[in-house]
């Protein structure tokens, strides 16, 4: 019976072959470390956010006169409303933590290299969508930090050439952040996660066409690939268990640790909090914004600081695979970059003084320098390492990649020759 | 441990530590019913005239376990579902203090320092050499000293006031997060369950991966 139904479906829709090709038999490198668990975790957090968000939306009211109260209604009167809300608020932080780790893994192991550039760029698009969604969601509780954060950030669009003032009004729907802003942010905050789901599908299609990279960076022989199921289903479940434990510690035992006290005060356009800070996941970028004395310059620097990751496939000119694994300088650069990020986060959090502004400027310089020196350092490091000697299989891969490129070039030349 | 993980941990820890900058007295927030009931009583006597707790209804107090008799005394003729609004109207308060006394429902979560801030603020009243009442924590505050710290209390009175402040803070801490006890209880079960589940996943994972060797 079940077989008959499956046959009936398969004649009309490639269900069995899809499940085989993309789930159960999907070939996966056996040497993936636990750093490769974070993509799956990001998918889970997305689903958690969608579910808790939809239930929250059933009780939330997007109206400046009611939204703060409606959050308290959720926290106090709705059955397990506090759980929904704490899961959703903590989930936002968890999402960024998971995505940042996922990105750090990609950078460390050089997973952005050819042929995975499109995979990396779809990921970059997902990061932007996630940031926009989180930013708009933060306005919804209509606390002091919600209001002033949205005011400060929408105000940055004044930097748009010629039509800056109009853009700001267009974004807010009013001259100041108000009811029009709240309702549109709510509408978009509900919409964007579904756009993200679509973008995730594209990300996965790209992944399944180029397949996972792996810690060695070397393309593995077929025998080193194992089917996704059961090996990685169980490994992902184990990772999920660990993740959920950490997540639950935050949700149940310290849910307020990631919330600003000022956001428990209803928004008041007449009173500016003495210290406006974004959520922790925006702090490094916020620090870069504040480090540039000129507003337009700051906005450009902040935008660049997020977008520069997309250029990594071009910036990294080393032909040595495996990212930091065989490359001591790149490894050093990677850790310096992480420390710099943390430093920037701290600068973004504290009340600015002359000293922290200076530290922020140095850290901003180091941030951009980390990217701009990648082409030079990667090339120099490559020739130094090749002179010093690399493992044979790495050299083989470099040669075979060079061959492939030469072959492609030849084909292209021939084609052009025929055409002209 | 991986350097990577260490940096991430350091980052999250420091975020946590940045919160408490000022030097505040630490208060032990009581979670038991008698303390919270005493706090409710002190609040009704000393704070309710000016401050509201608009997210708490009289019914919530009874549901939590505070004696019905006391609650009935406080609410008088008002229905059980009335929120605890201030006795003084907002307009009168604004006229008297030229500012609105804030709602206290979320006060223990609305200032840097949380409960410690509230406790320190209430006890920080003193009389200057010129005979003016002031406050160490919030020098420009328009709130008159509600507990009498500025009246140079002797040691015994001092202890009574401290106890009152602690009870009030405990009550307000409950009011800001009435589901906290339930949350902590549920959290223990959930984490216990996840620990068992994760251990099982780990064992199954080991077994499945053993097939590869």
């Amino acid at each position: 019976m079940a077989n008959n139904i499956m046959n009936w479906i398969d004649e009309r829709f490639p269900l069995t072959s899809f499940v085989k090709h993309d789930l159960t038999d999907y070939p996966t490198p056996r040497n993936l470390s636990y750093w490769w668990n974070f993509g799956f975790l990001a998918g889970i957090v997305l689903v958690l956010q969608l579910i808790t968000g939809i239930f929250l939306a059933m009780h939330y009211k997007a109206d400046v006169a009611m939204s703060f109260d409606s959050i308290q209604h959720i926290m106090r009167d709705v059955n397990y409303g506090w759980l929904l809300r704490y899961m959703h608020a903590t989930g936002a932080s968890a999402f960024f933590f998971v995505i940042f780790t996922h990105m750090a893994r990609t950078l460390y192991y050089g997973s952005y290299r050819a042929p995975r550039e499109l995979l990396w760029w779809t990921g970059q698009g997902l990061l932007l969508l996630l940031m926009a969604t989180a930013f708009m969601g933060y306005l919804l509780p209509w606390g002091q930090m919600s209001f002033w954060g949205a005011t400060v950030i929408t105000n940055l669009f004044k930097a748009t050439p010629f039509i800056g003032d109009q853009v700001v009004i267009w974004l807010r729907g009013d001259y100041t952040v108000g009811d029009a802003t709240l309702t549109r942010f709510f509408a978009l905050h509900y919409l964007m996660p579904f756009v993200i789901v679509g973008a995730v599908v594209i990300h996965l299609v790209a992944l399944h066409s180029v397949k996972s990279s792996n810690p060695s960076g070397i393309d593995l022989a077929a025998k080193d690939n194992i089917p996704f199921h059961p090996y990685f289903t169980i490994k992902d479940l184990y990772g999920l268990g660990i993740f959920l434990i950490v997540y639950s510690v935050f949700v149940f035992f310290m849910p307020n640790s990631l919330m600003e006290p000022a956001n428990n005060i209803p928004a008041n356009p007449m009173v500016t909090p003495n210290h406006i800070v974004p959520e922790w996941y925006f702090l490094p970028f916020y620090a870069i914004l504040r480090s540039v004395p000129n507003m337009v310059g700051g906005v450009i620097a902040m935008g660049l600081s997020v977008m520069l990751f997309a250029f990594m496939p071009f910036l990294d000119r080393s032909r040595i695979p495996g990212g930091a694994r065989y490359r001591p300088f790149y490894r050093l650069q990677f850790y310096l970059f992480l420390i710099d990020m943390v430093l920037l986060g701290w600068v973004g959090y504290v009340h600015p003084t002359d000293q922290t502004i200076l530290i922020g400027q140095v850290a901003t310089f180091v941030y951009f320098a980390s990217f701009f020196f990648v082409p030079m350092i990667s090339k120099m490091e490559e020739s130094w390492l090749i002179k010093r000697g690399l493992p044979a299989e790495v050299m083989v891969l470099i040669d075979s990649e060079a061959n492939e490129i030469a072959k492609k070039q030849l084909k292209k030349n021939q084609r052009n020759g025929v055409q002209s | 441990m991986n350097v990577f993980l260490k940096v991430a941990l350091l980052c999250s820890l420091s975020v946590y530590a940045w919160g408490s900058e000022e030097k505040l007295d630490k208060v032990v927030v009581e979670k038991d019913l008698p303390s919270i009931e005493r706090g409710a009583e002190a609040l009704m006597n000393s704070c309710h005239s000016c401050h509201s707790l608009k997210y708490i209804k009289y019914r919530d107090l009874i549901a939590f376990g505070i004696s019905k008799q006391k609650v009935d005394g406080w609410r008088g003729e008002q229905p059980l579902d009335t929120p605890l609004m201030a006795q003084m109207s907002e307009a009168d308060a604004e006229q008297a203090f030229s500012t609105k006394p804030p709602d206290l429902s979320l006060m223990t979560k609305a200032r840097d320092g949380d409960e410690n801030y509230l406790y320190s603020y209430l006890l920080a009243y003193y009389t200057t050499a010129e005979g003016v009442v002031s406050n160490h924590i919030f020098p420009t505050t328009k709130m008159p000293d509600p507990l009498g710290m500025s009246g140079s209390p002797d040691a015994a009175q001092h202890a009574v006031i401290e106890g009152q402040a602690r009870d009030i803070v405990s009550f307000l801490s409950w009011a800001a997060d009435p589901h906290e006890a339930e949350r902590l209880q549920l959290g223990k079960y959930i984490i216990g369950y996840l620990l068992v589940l994760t251990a099982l996943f780990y064992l199954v994972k080991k077994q499945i991966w053993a097939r590869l060797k």
Side-chain angles (χ1 to χ4, degrees):
Chain A
M1 181 63 193
N3 251 345
N4 280 344
I5 295 176
M6 278 315 285
N7 286 340
W8 188 91
I9 294 175
D10 280 332
E11 277 161 23
R12 291 158 178 83
F13 184 88
L15 184 61
T16 305
S17 69
F18 169 77
V19 169
K20 259 198 150 78
H21 181 266
D22 289 293
L23 295 169
T24 52
D25 291 359
Y26 176 68
T28 313
R30 63 187 289 173
N31 63 338
L32 294 190
S33 68
Y34 279 103
W35 294 115
W36 264 261
N37 278 43
F38 285 84
F40 170 79
L41 290 180
I44 295 285
V45 183
L46 175 60
V47 173
L48 269 179
Q49 290 301 83
L50 271 167
I51 295 172
T52 51
I54 288 169
F55 280 99
L56 283 171
M58 294 176 190
H59 304 281
Y60 171 75
K61 293 198 169 57
D63 180 318
V64 292
M66 292 192 270
S67 54
F68 193 89
D69 288 347
S70 74
I71 298 285
Q72 287 309 313
H73 167 65
I74 290 168
M75 291 296 286
R76 291 159 192 273
D77 307 329
V78 174
N79 282 328
Y80 292 100
W82 57 268
L83 182 58
L84 287 175
R85 199 242 177 160
Y86 280 148
M87 281 177 74
H88 199 73
T90 310
S93 283
F95 212 153
F96 276 95
F97 174 76
V98 167
I99 287 297
F100 286 160
T101 314
H102 189 59
M103 287 175 71
R105 189 272 288 149
T106 309
L107 289 171
Y108 185 89
Y109 288 107
S111 309
Y112 50 76
R113 295 171 81 242
R116 297 191 178 81
E117 300 97 322
L118 271 178
L119 182 54
W120 180 232
W121 292 334
T122 52
Q124 172 89 46
L126 277 166
L127 175 69
L128 296 182
L129 286 171
L130 177 64
M131 286 179 150
T133 310
F135 167 66
M136 289 188 289
Y138 196 59
L139 184 68
L140 306 185
W142 203 245
Q144 272 290 68
M145 214 48 99
S146 303
F147 176 86
W148 288 98
T151 299
V152 169
I153 301 299
T154 49
N155 200 43
L156 296 178
F157 286 85
K158 275 214 167 83
T160 317
F162 308 119
I163 50 164
D165 289 337
Q166 283 88 330
V167 170
V168 173
I169 295 171
W170 179 75
L171 283 172
R172 293 176 178 165
D174 201 342
Y175 294 101
T176 56
V177 172
D179 204 55
T181 325
L182 181 61
T183 47
R184 68 185 49 198
F185 274 29
F186 179 51
L188 294 173
H189 185 71
Y190 204 121
L191 168 69
M192 296 280 266
F194 297 97
V195 178
I196 291 182
V197 170
V200 167
V201 170
I202 295 175
H203 194 61
L204 288 177
V205 169
L207 171 69
H208 283 217
S209 132
V210 294
K211 308 279 188 286
S212 290
S213 65
N214 71 80
S216 77
I218 298 167
D219 274 331
L220 298 166
K223 72 172 165 51
D224 291 323
N225 283 323
I226 49 180
F228 192 84
H229 183 72
Y231 297 105
F232 287 95
T233 30
I234 188 63
K235 192 173 175 182
D236 278 342
L237 281 176
Y238 170 50
L240 177 63
I242 306 255
F243 167 80
L244 286 179
I245 290 170
V246 177
Y247 175 70
S248 302
V249 167
F250 274 92
V251 169
F252 290 100
F253 295 101
M254 43 204 291
N256 291 305
S257 63
L258 296 167
M259 293 190 188
E260 272 299 316
N263 228 27
N264 282 317
I265 304 170
N268 183 351
M270 314 305 279
V271 180
T272 321
N274 49 14
H275 186 193
I276 301 177
V277 281
E279 294 286 86
W280 69 268
Y281 37 81
F282 289 137
L283 286 174
F285 311 110
Y286 185 61
I288 289 175
L289 168 76
R290 285 202 304 191
S291 292
V292 182
N294 162 294
M295 176 173 126
V296 177
V299 173
I300 293 173
M302 181 168 76
L304 259 185
S305 68
V306 180
M307 291 307 298
L308 270 179
F309 295 104
F311 293 93
M312 275 310 280
F314 304 123
L315 296 177
D316 182 3
R317 291 167 66 219
S318 174
R319 288 173 300 151
I320 299 172
R325 169 144 180 180
Y326 302 107
R327 297 166 56 186
F329 287 110
Y330 185 72
R331 192 159 56 227
L332 187 68
Q333 251 188 319
F334 174 84
Y335 285 122
L336 282 179
F337 184 73
L338 278 199
I339 293 168
D340 195 54
M341 272 288 224
V342 175
L343 193 63
L344 279 170
W346 173 77
V347 170
Y349 185 82
V350 296
H351 211 87
T353 64
D354 287 349
Q355 217 175 359
T356 65
I357 289 175
L358 185 69
I359 296 174
Q361 285 169 342
V362 173
T364 300
F365 177 79
V366 172
Y367 187 98
F368 286 107
S370 307
F371 285 99
F372 290 133
F373 286 112
V374 166
M376 218 170 58
I377 295 181
S378 59
K379 210 65 201 167
M380 275 162 42
E381 181 188 46
E382 179 199 281
S383 50
W384 180 71
L385 283 174
I386 289 180
K387 238 188 275 160
R388 233 174 111 246
L390 278 162
E393 66 271 26
V394 176
M395 292 309 292
V396 169
L397 186 75
I398 294 177
D399 288 343
S400 78
E401 275 182 355
N403 270 340
E404 210 126 287
I405 292 170
K407 246 190 266 168
K408 266 188 205 146
Q409 191 63 38
L410 198 69
K411 255 194 207 152
K412 204 163 132 196
N413 287 347
Q414 280 171 343
R415 245 200 332 263
N416 288 347
V418 170
Q419 270 165 7
S420 60
Chain B
M1 198 171 16
N2 209 310
V3 182
F4 205 88
L5 210 64
K6 274 190 204 155
V7 172
L9 255 176
L10 217 75
C11 178
S12 46
L13 280 180
S14 47
V15 168
Y16 200 52
W18 294 335
S20 47
E21 289 157 54
E22 288 147 72
K23 289 240 176 305
L24 296 175
D25 295 331
K26 296 256 182 307
V27 58
V28 181
V29 182
E30 307 289 351
K31 302 287 175 191
D32 58 310
L33 180 59
S35 298
I36 291 175
E37 183 161 343
R38 279 200 310 276
E41 200 155 17
L43 181 124
M44 294 310 282
N45 290 335
S46 320
C47 322
H48 184 51
S49 50
C50 302
H51 288 282
S52 61
L53 263 86
K54 64 174 172 176
Y55 297 121
I56 298 288
K57 304 182 189 85
Y58 290 103
R59 187 187 295 285
D60 299 332
L61 300 179
I62 296 176
F64 179 64
I66 293 177
S67 114
K68 183 157 188 317
Q69 213 181 342
K70 274 185 195 157
V71 175
D72 284 346
W74 296 330
R75 75 184 168 100
E77 298 293 290
Q78 304 172 77
L80 272 177
D81 282 319
T82 321
L84 274 66
M85 298 313 284
Q87 284 158 350
M88 192 188 259
S89 78
E90 270 197 0
D92 286 353
E94 191 137 24
Q95 201 168 30
F97 308 108
S98 65
T99 180
K100 270 186 267 179
D103 186 85
L104 294 182
S105 315
L106 284 166
M107 190 48 79
T108 57
K109 291 203 288 182
R111 295 286 184 277
D112 285 329
D114 302 338
E115 282 88 355
N116 292 335
Y117 172 84
L118 180 56
Y119 180 71
S120 310
Y121 170 56
L122 292 176
L123 295 182
Y125 282 94
Y126 69 104
T127 308
T128 62
E130 293 82 41
V132 185
V133 174
S134 185
N135 187 298
H136 290 297
I137 301 277
F138 185 174
T140 59
T141 184
K142 304 223 176 62
M143 172 162 94
D145 178 6
L147 297 179
M149 275 304 283
S150 56
S152 30
D154 61 36
Q157 285 167 319
H158 199 138
V160 171
I161 295 177
E162 269 181 21
Q164 252 177 349
R166 191 169 52 242
D167 290 343
I168 290 174
V169 170
S170 301
F171 172 71
L172 286 177
S173 178
W174 167 80
D177 198 357
H179 292 288
E180 188 190 20
E182 184 190 358
R183 169 159 62 77
L184 298 178
Q185 186 66 23
L186 185 61
K188 273 183 227 152
Y189 291 133
I190 300 255
I191 288 187
Y193 171 78
L194 286 173
L195 282 173
V196 173
L197 188 72
T198 307
L200 286 177
F201 279 148
Y202 175 70
L203 294 175
V204 175
K205 192 234 158 205
K206 256 181 86 163
Q207 203 171 36
I208 289 180
W209 279 69
R211 292 183 207 163
L212 283 176
K213 279 159 209 153

